[in-house]
Structures are given as C-alpha cells and as structure tokens.
Amino acid sequence: MDVIRSATTISRVELAELTGLTQPSISNIVRDLIADGVIHETGSADSIRGKPRKLLAINAANRFGIGFQVGAESLTCVAIDLTGGVVGREVVPLTTADLPAQLAERFDDFTDGLDLPRDRVEGLAIVAPTARPGHESAAPEWGVVRADLADHLKIPVLVENDAAAAALGEFWTRRVSREQSFGSVYLSTGIGAGLVFGGALFRGASFDAGELGHSSIRYDGRPCPCGNQGCVERYASMAATVDEARADPALTSRLRLDGTVSSAYDAIARAAVRGDADAFALVDRAAGYLSVAVTSMVNLLDLGRLVLTGPGVAVAGSIYARRLRAHLARTAHARRRHEIVVELSAQPRDAASIGAAALVVQASIAPGHTLGVH
Ligand SMILES: [Zn+2]
C-alpha cells in the first residue's frame, strides 16, 4: 500500500520489483486489496513486449481518517481520504469544560456534516503540543481523554504530538517515497521536528524524538525552562520573535503587538513580507538561528528532504526557506553528495491536524509502519 501511495499508479510487475516480493505473492495481495476496495485497476501502461500492464491506484474515497488539533481556544477538525486529500475541515471554539465529551460531540457533528459513513471512518487522532503517546500523565491527561473517547466512539483513537503528526502528514500528502530520509520542522509558539524513516515516524526511546527546539545553539545563551541554555526555541520560535518585537519601541509603535502571541506574530510576519525593514530583519535573524539548528539536524541524520511547516511559516515562510536553503548550500556536510530539498508546506496552519488524520489512514492501510500506536 505504501509503495502504491508514493507511486500514484503502478503495475504489478513494478510492485514486485520494488518490494522484492514474488509475482504470485503480489498477485494474491493485489487481489485481496481490490476485493477490500482499497485499490482499483486504472487503465494500462504500454509494455515493451507482451500485453499491456494494468495499473493499480489507491481508491481514495474508500476510507477516511479524522484529525483533531486541540488549540488553546479552538479545535481544528480535518478529514482526509486514503491519498491524503482533505475532504472536510472546520474550526470550532473549544472551552475548558469536559474535554472528552466536547471532542466526542464534535466528532459526531463533523462526520455527520460531511456525510461520511461511520464504517468507513478508520479512527480519530488528536494532536496537541503537550500530547505524546508515551506521556499520558501530563495535563490534560491525554491517556484518559483517549480511553474515554475510544470507549464512547467505538473506533481507534490515537494521541500524538503536533510536530510529529505534521511530519507524517507532509510525508503522506506529498507522496514522499519511503526510501527518502524525510524531516519536517514545525514552527509554532515552540519549535518541533518530525522524522520519517523507512515510511515510519521515528519516535525515539520515549516518544521524545524531534525536540529540535531544545537544541542549544549557544552554550552560555539564554536560559530555557528545560534546564539548558541557548535553546534555539528561545531565539527563533514565534514566542521569541514576538518577545523581541515587543521590546523594540520602533516596532511597537507601528504594529499591533498586543493580544495573543499568534496575532502579534502574524502582524510582524505580514510587515516583514510587506517590506518593513525592521520587521524583516527580526524575522530573518530568527530564520538564521533556526537554520543553524536545522543544519545540525540535517547533518546528524543525513536528511535528503525537509519541509517547513506550522503556523509560524504561514505568512513569512519564504524568509525562513530562503535563509535555510542558503545556509544548507554553504554548510551542509552532504551538500556535494546529494541535494537537500527544502520545501514549504502548502497548508502550514492545518499541517498538524492533517497529519493526525494521516496517522489514522497509515495505521489503517500500512499498519506495519505505525509504531507506538495504541
Ligand atoms: Zn530548552
């Protein structure tokens, strides 16, 4: 399934070549998948000799995954099909009252509103900055939320960190091949990264992999609540950029920087792309700090492809991408051996919720790749 997903369309012969399975095995697997309705035959490709090869493709609308991103005051709901196409999205207010009950009600309303048959919905994944499959004691108690919801909705419910989910979502919707060493950087109020190796999210020993924000770029730098000093999050996150802007009288006089970190950050980012020299310098400097940390990650893991995503790149993403590409071109260790592709997310604000839904879809059709899922 994962090979068909990344290829878009593929013949049985190519499947056998790419997976190393025998032709009879492929024929059996393909027959079962067609009977299940998850793939179908679509046209033919000319063969050099003999009869034309029938091509196989994923039946996008056969099954769906639902992703919920829990924010401070709102909930983003997304539904995707088997190829990662978004079939529904809505943002609704969230209160602090009984979270499992609110989420259950939203799930029913959202899937009913989209007219998705319940037996085609493969599950729900919930993402939040503090959520991790292995850290279920942190407030809110995600383990309790997950168990309550699974019990009530009678479907699999997963819980995941936003940056990790976003990486899987970008991997899935971009049809990245599982042969690639793929990473994404999630720029938000904090900074996270997600890594996909061999088609699977890399989790580490305790689901803590990808804590890029706490990579130190200066040993005697700004103190960080994590205990370290000089963490890149203290220089390049949305919150750090807003703090710096609020300390600058010239910027505070021109831009609306009161309100939430998100709204203040968007005001800075908009000014930066509009050509405000001070705002541009501020964002470009943050991009420079981020580039130093990301280059270390690229070097450590020998990544070939990287996506910048998250709300922090929704407005001024090109400033971050340009700075990072220039830094990698000059300093990445593997730059003479292979290209390091830096891309910008097409849906940076929804990347985590789309990724959550992609986790559900991957657990459903390529379960061997989904590690650490309950
Ligand atoms: Zn830190």
Side-chain angles (χ1 to χ4, degrees), residues 222-251:
R222 295 173 187 168
C224 180
C226 78
N228 203 350
Q229 279 179 263
C231 291
V232 66
E233 198 165 283
R234 306 285 296 119
Y235 297 84
S237 64
M238 285 165 59
T241 303
V242 168
D243 281 350
E244 284 203 37
R246 282 175 176 162
D248 180 337
L251 281 171

PDB file of all heavy atoms in Angstrom, residues 222-251:
ATOM      1  N   ARG A 222      20.693  32.186  26.198  1.00  0.00           N
ATOM      2  CA  ARG A 222      19.514  32.470  27.027  1.00  0.00           C
ATOM      3  C   ARG A 222      19.074  31.231  27.799  1.00  0.00           C
ATOM      4  O   ARG A 222      19.000  30.141  27.222  1.00  0.00           O
ATOM      5  CB  ARG A 222      18.362  32.937  26.122  1.00  0.00           C
ATOM      6  CG  ARG A 222      18.648  34.245  25.440  1.00  0.00           C
ATOM      7  CD  ARG A 222      17.564  34.591  24.431  1.00  0.00           C
ATOM      8  NE  ARG A 222      17.955  35.771  23.667  1.00  0.00           N
ATOM      9  CZ  ARG A 222      17.336  36.183  22.561  1.00  0.00           C
ATOM     10  NH1 ARG A 222      16.298  35.530  22.097  1.00  0.00           N
ATOM     11  NH2 ARG A 222      17.764  37.259  21.923  1.00  0.00           N
ATOM     12  N   PRO A 223      18.756  31.384  29.091  1.00  0.00           N
ATOM     13  CA  PRO A 223      18.280  30.216  29.843  1.00  0.00           C
ATOM     14  C   PRO A 223      16.919  29.743  29.320  1.00  0.00           C
ATOM     15  O   PRO A 223      16.119  30.550  28.844  1.00  0.00           O
ATOM     16  CB  PRO A 223      18.164  30.744  31.282  1.00  0.00           C
ATOM     17  CG  PRO A 223      18.233  32.215  31.212  1.00  0.00           C
ATOM     18  CD  PRO A 223      18.829  32.606  29.903  1.00  0.00           C
ATOM     19  N   CYS A 224      16.702  28.440  29.388  1.00  0.00           N
ATOM     20  CA  CYS A 224      15.455  27.844  28.890  1.00  0.00           C
ATOM     21  C   CYS A 224      14.810  27.065  30.038  1.00  0.00           C
ATOM     22  O   CYS A 224      15.521  26.470  30.852  1.00  0.00           O
ATOM     23  CB  CYS A 224      15.775  26.919  27.717  1.00  0.00           C
ATOM     24  SG  CYS A 224      14.315  26.112  27.014  1.00  0.00           S
ATOM     25  N   PRO A 225      13.485  27.059  30.121  1.00  0.00           N
ATOM     26  CA  PRO A 225      12.822  26.292  31.187  1.00  0.00           C
ATOM     27  C   PRO A 225      13.231  24.816  31.204  1.00  0.00           C
ATOM     28  O   PRO A 225      13.101  24.148  32.226  1.00  0.00           O
ATOM     29  CB  PRO A 225      11.336  26.430  30.850  1.00  0.00           C
ATOM     30  CG  PRO A 225      11.231  27.663  30.023  1.00  0.00           C
ATOM     31  CD  PRO A 225      12.531  27.785  29.276  1.00  0.00           C
ATOM     32  N   CYS A 226      13.740  24.293  30.086  1.00  0.00           N
ATOM     33  CA  CYS A 226      14.122  22.871  30.041  1.00  0.00           C
ATOM     34  C   CYS A 226      15.373  22.599  30.874  1.00  0.00           C
ATOM     35  O   CYS A 226      15.705  21.445  31.147  1.00  0.00           O
ATOM     36  CB  CYS A 226      14.336  22.405  28.602  1.00  0.00           C
ATOM     37  SG  CYS A 226      15.913  22.902  27.889  1.00  0.00           S
ATOM     38  N   GLY A 227      16.098  23.651  31.288  1.00  0.00           N
ATOM     39  CA  GLY A 227      17.313  23.466  32.079  1.00  0.00           C
ATOM     40  C   GLY A 227      18.577  23.772  31.298  1.00  0.00           C
ATOM     41  O   GLY A 227      19.640  24.000  31.872  1.00  0.00           O
ATOM     42  N   ASN A 228      18.464  23.772  29.977  1.00  0.00           N
ATOM     43  CA  ASN A 228      19.625  24.053  29.126  1.00  0.00           C
ATOM     44  C   ASN A 228      19.739  25.564  28.896  1.00  0.00           C
ATOM     45  O   ASN A 228      18.868  26.342  29.296  1.00  0.00           O
ATOM     46  CB  ASN A 228      19.452  23.305  27.795  1.00  0.00           C
ATOM     47  CG  ASN A 228      20.757  23.060  27.086  1.00  0.00           C
ATOM     48  OD1 ASN A 228      21.795  23.586  27.462  1.00  0.00           O
ATOM     49  ND2 ASN A 228      20.694  22.257  26.036  1.00  0.00           N
ATOM     50  N   GLN A 229      20.784  25.960  28.250  1.00  0.00           N
ATOM     51  CA  GLN A 229      20.939  27.364  27.856  1.00  0.00           C
ATOM     52  C   GLN A 229      21.107  27.445  26.347  1.00  0.00           C
ATOM     53  O   GLN A 229      21.679  26.538  25.730  1.00  0.00           O
ATOM     54  CB  GLN A 229      22.170  27.981  28.528  1.00  0.00           C
ATOM     55  CG  GLN A 229      21.927  28.425  29.955  1.00  0.00           C
ATOM     56  CD  GLN A 229      23.175  29.016  30.582  1.00  0.00           C
ATOM     57  OE1 GLN A 229      23.890  28.314  31.291  1.00  0.00           O
ATOM     58  NE2 GLN A 229      23.436  30.283  30.309  1.00  0.00           N
ATOM     59  N   GLY A 230      20.641  28.532  25.764  1.00  0.00           N
ATOM     60  CA  GLY A 230      20.852  28.761  24.337  1.00  0.00           C
ATOM     61  C   GLY A 230      19.987  27.914  23.418  1.00  0.00           C
ATOM     62  O   GLY A 230      20.304  27.748  22.240  1.00  0.00           O
ATOM     63  N   CYS A 231      18.860  27.367  23.943  1.00  0.00           N
ATOM     64  CA  CYS A 231      17.972  26.551  23.093  1.00  0.00           C
ATOM     65  C   CYS A 231      17.456  27.415  21.935  1.00  0.00           C
ATOM     66  O   CYS A 231      17.059  28.568  22.142  1.00  0.00           O
ATOM     67  CB  CYS A 231      16.794  26.024  23.892  1.00  0.00           C
ATOM     68  SG  CYS A 231      17.276  24.807  25.111  1.00  0.00           S
ATOM     69  N   VAL A 232      17.413  26.840  20.739  1.00  0.00           N
ATOM     70  CA  VAL A 232      17.020  27.611  19.551  1.00  0.00           C
ATOM     71  C   VAL A 232      15.598  28.156  19.695  1.00  0.00           C
ATOM     72  O   VAL A 232      15.280  29.215  19.158  1.00  0.00           O
ATOM     73  CB  VAL A 232      17.197  26.767  18.261  1.00  0.00           C
ATOM     74  CG1 VAL A 232      16.239  25.590  18.213  1.00  0.00           C
ATOM     75  CG2 VAL A 232      17.036  27.646  17.029  1.00  0.00           C
ATOM     76  N   GLU A 233      14.759  27.444  20.470  1.00  0.00           N
ATOM     77  CA  GLU A 233      13.402  27.915  20.710  1.00  0.00           C
ATOM     78  C   GLU A 233      13.369  29.294  21.373  1.00  0.00           C
ATOM     79  O   GLU A 233      12.440  30.067  21.186  1.00  0.00           O
ATOM     80  CB  GLU A 233      12.710  26.884  21.612  1.00  0.00           C
ATOM     81  CG  GLU A 233      11.216  26.955  21.624  1.00  0.00           C
ATOM     82  CD  GLU A 233      10.607  25.694  22.237  1.00  0.00           C
ATOM     83  OE1 GLU A 233      10.573  24.660  21.554  1.00  0.00           O
ATOM     84  OE2 GLU A 233      10.190  25.761  23.406  1.00  0.00           O
ATOM     85  N   ARG A 234      14.419  29.605  22.162  1.00  0.00           N
ATOM     86  CA  ARG A 234      14.487  30.889  22.855  1.00  0.00           C
ATOM     87  C   ARG A 234      14.912  32.013  21.897  1.00  0.00           C
ATOM     88  O   ARG A 234      14.918  33.178  22.274  1.00  0.00           O
ATOM     89  CB  ARG A 234      15.456  30.814  24.046  1.00  0.00           C
ATOM     90  CG  ARG A 234      15.164  29.698  25.023  1.00  0.00           C
ATOM     91  CD  ARG A 234      13.950  29.996  25.907  1.00  0.00           C
ATOM     92  NE  ARG A 234      14.190  31.144  26.768  1.00  0.00           N
ATOM     93  CZ  ARG A 234      13.482  32.266  26.759  1.00  0.00           C
ATOM     94  NH1 ARG A 234      12.482  32.416  25.914  1.00  0.00           N
ATOM     95  NH2 ARG A 234      13.763  33.240  27.573  1.00  0.00           N
ATOM     96  N   TYR A 235      15.262  31.669  20.661  1.00  0.00           N
ATOM     97  CA  TYR A 235      15.701  32.669  19.672  1.00  0.00           C
ATOM     98  C   TYR A 235      14.810  32.732  18.425  1.00  0.00           C
ATOM     99  O   TYR A 235      14.766  33.755  17.758  1.00  0.00           O
ATOM    100  CB  TYR A 235      17.138  32.369  19.200  1.00  0.00           C
ATOM    101  CG  TYR A 235      18.160  32.457  20.301  1.00  0.00           C
ATOM    102  CD1 TYR A 235      18.385  31.378  21.144  1.00  0.00           C
ATOM    103  CD2 TYR A 235      18.893  33.628  20.507  1.00  0.00           C
ATOM    104  CE1 TYR A 235      19.313  31.452  22.165  1.00  0.00           C
ATOM    105  CE2 TYR A 235      19.828  33.712  21.526  1.00  0.00           C
ATOM    106  CZ  TYR A 235      20.035  32.623  22.355  1.00  0.00           C
ATOM    107  OH  TYR A 235      20.952  32.710  23.364  1.00  0.00           O
ATOM    108  N   ALA A 236      14.195  31.599  18.082  1.00  0.00           N
ATOM    109  CA  ALA A 236      13.563  31.538  16.756  1.00  0.00           C
ATOM    110  C   ALA A 236      12.095  31.124  16.757  1.00  0.00           C
ATOM    111  O   ALA A 236      11.475  31.092  15.700  1.00  0.00           O
ATOM    112  CB  ALA A 236      14.351  30.570  15.863  1.00  0.00           C
ATOM    113  N   SER A 237      11.525  30.805  17.925  1.00  0.00           N
ATOM    114  CA  SER A 237      10.102  30.425  17.920  1.00  0.00           C
ATOM    115  C   SER A 237       9.253  31.683  17.712  1.00  0.00           C
ATOM    116  O   SER A 237       9.740  32.811  17.826  1.00  0.00           O
ATOM    117  CB  SER A 237       9.733  29.771  19.254  1.00  0.00           C
ATOM    118  OG  SER A 237       9.876  30.718  20.298  1.00  0.00           O
ATOM    119  N   MET A 238       7.970  31.485  17.414  1.00  0.00           N
ATOM    120  CA  MET A 238       7.059  32.617  17.298  1.00  0.00           C
ATOM    121  C   MET A 238       7.077  33.446  18.580  1.00  0.00           C
ATOM    122  O   MET A 238       7.106  34.678  18.544  1.00  0.00           O
ATOM    123  CB  MET A 238       5.628  32.117  17.015  1.00  0.00           C
ATOM    124  CG  MET A 238       5.415  31.643  15.592  1.00  0.00           C
ATOM    125  SD  MET A 238       3.893  30.656  15.390  1.00  0.00           S
ATOM    126  CE  MET A 238       2.620  31.780  15.925  1.00  0.00           C
ATOM    127  N   ALA A 239       7.081  32.752  19.738  1.00  0.00           N
ATOM    128  CA  ALA A 239       7.059  33.464  21.027  1.00  0.00           C
ATOM    129  C   ALA A 239       8.323  34.314  21.200  1.00  0.00           C
ATOM    130  O   ALA A 239       8.247  35.457  21.662  1.00  0.00           O
ATOM    131  CB  ALA A 239       6.926  32.449  22.170  1.00  0.00           C
ATOM    132  N   ALA A 240       9.482  33.768  20.806  1.00  0.00           N
ATOM    133  CA  ALA A 240      10.742  34.514  20.956  1.00  0.00           C
ATOM    134  C   ALA A 240      10.741  35.742  20.048  1.00  0.00           C
ATOM    135  O   ALA A 240      11.172  36.836  20.449  1.00  0.00           O
ATOM    136  CB  ALA A 240      11.925  33.602  20.621  1.00  0.00           C
ATOM    137  N   THR A 241      10.239  35.583  18.823  1.00  0.00           N
ATOM    138  CA  THR A 241      10.200  36.703  17.884  1.00  0.00           C
ATOM    139  C   THR A 241       9.259  37.805  18.386  1.00  0.00           C
ATOM    140  O   THR A 241       9.579  38.993  18.300  1.00  0.00           O
ATOM    141  CB  THR A 241       9.766  36.200  16.485  1.00  0.00           C
ATOM    142  OG1 THR A 241      10.693  35.179  16.074  1.00  0.00           O
ATOM    143  CG2 THR A 241       9.758  37.313  15.455  1.00  0.00           C
ATOM    144  N   VAL A 242       8.129  37.387  18.946  1.00  0.00           N
ATOM    145  CA  VAL A 242       7.179  38.368  19.489  1.00  0.00           C
ATOM    146  C   VAL A 242       7.795  39.100  20.687  1.00  0.00           C
ATOM    147  O   VAL A 242       7.683  40.325  20.809  1.00  0.00           O
ATOM    148  CB  VAL A 242       5.840  37.681  19.866  1.00  0.00           C
ATOM    149  CG1 VAL A 242       4.960  38.612  20.703  1.00  0.00           C
ATOM    150  CG2 VAL A 242       5.109  37.233  18.604  1.00  0.00           C
ATOM    151  N   ASP A 243       8.486  38.348  21.573  1.00  0.00           N
ATOM    152  CA  ASP A 243       9.150  38.986  22.721  1.00  0.00           C
ATOM    153  C   ASP A 243      10.129  40.059  22.251  1.00  0.00           C
ATOM    154  O   ASP A 243      10.189  41.156  22.809  1.00  0.00           O
ATOM    155  CB  ASP A 243       9.932  37.938  23.539  1.00  0.00           C
ATOM    156  CG  ASP A 243       9.008  37.129  24.446  1.00  0.00           C
ATOM    157  OD1 ASP A 243       7.822  37.514  24.578  1.00  0.00           O
ATOM    158  OD2 ASP A 243       9.474  36.112  24.995  1.00  0.00           O
ATOM    159  N   GLU A 244      10.902  39.741  21.226  1.00  0.00           N
ATOM    160  CA  GLU A 244      11.893  40.706  20.729  1.00  0.00           C
ATOM    161  C   GLU A 244      11.217  41.925  20.126  1.00  0.00           C
ATOM    162  O   GLU A 244      11.661  43.063  20.323  1.00  0.00           O
ATOM    163  CB  GLU A 244      12.813  40.045  19.699  1.00  0.00           C
ATOM    164  CG  GLU A 244      13.833  39.141  20.359  1.00  0.00           C
ATOM    165  CD  GLU A 244      15.063  38.929  19.493  1.00  0.00           C
ATOM    166  OE1 GLU A 244      15.482  39.893  18.814  1.00  0.00           O
ATOM    167  OE2 GLU A 244      15.583  37.807  19.501  1.00  0.00           O
ATOM    168  N   ALA A 245      10.141  41.679  19.371  1.00  0.00           N
ATOM    169  CA  ALA A 245       9.441  42.799  18.737  1.00  0.00           C
ATOM    170  C   ALA A 245       8.837  43.724  19.786  1.00  0.00           C
ATOM    171  O   ALA A 245       8.868  44.944  19.656  1.00  0.00           O
ATOM    172  CB  ALA A 245       8.365  42.264  17.797  1.00  0.00           C
ATOM    173  N   ARG A 246       8.284  43.109  20.865  1.00  0.00           N
ATOM    174  CA  ARG A 246       7.641  43.915  21.919  1.00  0.00           C
ATOM    175  C   ARG A 246       8.663  44.758  22.689  1.00  0.00           C
ATOM    176  O   ARG A 246       8.302  45.747  23.315  1.00  0.00           O
ATOM    177  CB  ARG A 246       6.871  43.002  22.874  1.00  0.00           C
ATOM    178  CG  ARG A 246       5.530  42.550  22.286  1.00  0.00           C
ATOM    179  CD  ARG A 246       4.833  41.542  23.177  1.00  0.00           C
ATOM    180  NE  ARG A 246       3.508  41.204  22.634  1.00  0.00           N
ATOM    181  CZ  ARG A 246       2.813  40.123  22.980  1.00  0.00           C
ATOM    182  NH1 ARG A 246       3.316  39.267  23.853  1.00  0.00           N
ATOM    183  NH2 ARG A 246       1.632  39.883  22.443  1.00  0.00           N
ATOM    184  N   ALA A 247       9.926  44.348  22.632  1.00  0.00           N
ATOM    185  CA  ALA A 247      10.978  45.119  23.316  1.00  0.00           C
ATOM    186  C   ALA A 247      11.543  46.218  22.411  1.00  0.00           C
ATOM    187  O   ALA A 247      12.428  46.970  22.822  1.00  0.00           O
ATOM    188  CB  ALA A 247      12.098  44.177  23.763  1.00  0.00           C
ATOM    189  N   ASP A 248      11.044  46.310  21.185  1.00  0.00           N
ATOM    190  CA  ASP A 248      11.563  47.276  20.212  1.00  0.00           C
ATOM    191  C   ASP A 248      10.557  48.423  20.052  1.00  0.00           C
ATOM    192  O   ASP A 248       9.480  48.238  19.489  1.00  0.00           O
ATOM    193  CB  ASP A 248      11.779  46.543  18.867  1.00  0.00           C
ATOM    194  CG  ASP A 248      12.325  47.466  17.788  1.00  0.00           C
ATOM    195  OD1 ASP A 248      12.144  48.710  17.888  1.00  0.00           O
ATOM    196  OD2 ASP A 248      12.917  46.948  16.828  1.00  0.00           O
ATOM    197  N   PRO A 249      10.910  49.627  20.558  1.00  0.00           N
ATOM    198  CA  PRO A 249       9.947  50.743  20.515  1.00  0.00           C
ATOM    199  C   PRO A 249       9.489  51.081  19.093  1.00  0.00           C
ATOM    200  O   PRO A 249       8.322  51.427  18.889  1.00  0.00           O
ATOM    201  CB  PRO A 249      10.733  51.911  21.130  1.00  0.00           C
ATOM    202  CG  PRO A 249      11.890  51.301  21.841  1.00  0.00           C
ATOM    203  CD  PRO A 249      12.193  50.012  21.162  1.00  0.00           C
ATOM    204  N   ALA A 250      10.395  50.974  18.118  1.00  0.00           N
ATOM    205  CA  ALA A 250      10.019  51.317  16.741  1.00  0.00           C
ATOM    206  C   ALA A 250       8.924  50.374  16.243  1.00  0.00           C
ATOM    207  O   ALA A 250       7.942  50.801  15.630  1.00  0.00           O
ATOM    208  CB  ALA A 250      11.246  51.228  15.825  1.00  0.00           C
ATOM    209  N   LEU A 251       9.062  49.076  16.513  1.00  0.00           N
ATOM    210  CA  LEU A 251       8.077  48.104  16.040  1.00  0.00           C
ATOM    211  C   LEU A 251       6.765  48.224  16.811  1.00  0.00           C
ATOM    212  O   LEU A 251       5.689  48.136  16.212  1.00  0.00           O
ATOM    213  CB  LEU A 251       8.634  46.679  16.156  1.00  0.00           C
ATOM    214  CG  LEU A 251       9.605  46.273  15.041  1.00  0.00           C
ATOM    215  CD1 LEU A 251      10.265  44.935  15.356  1.00  0.00           C
ATOM    216  CD2 LEU A 251       8.873  46.191  13.695  1.00  0.00           C
TER     217      LEU A 251
END
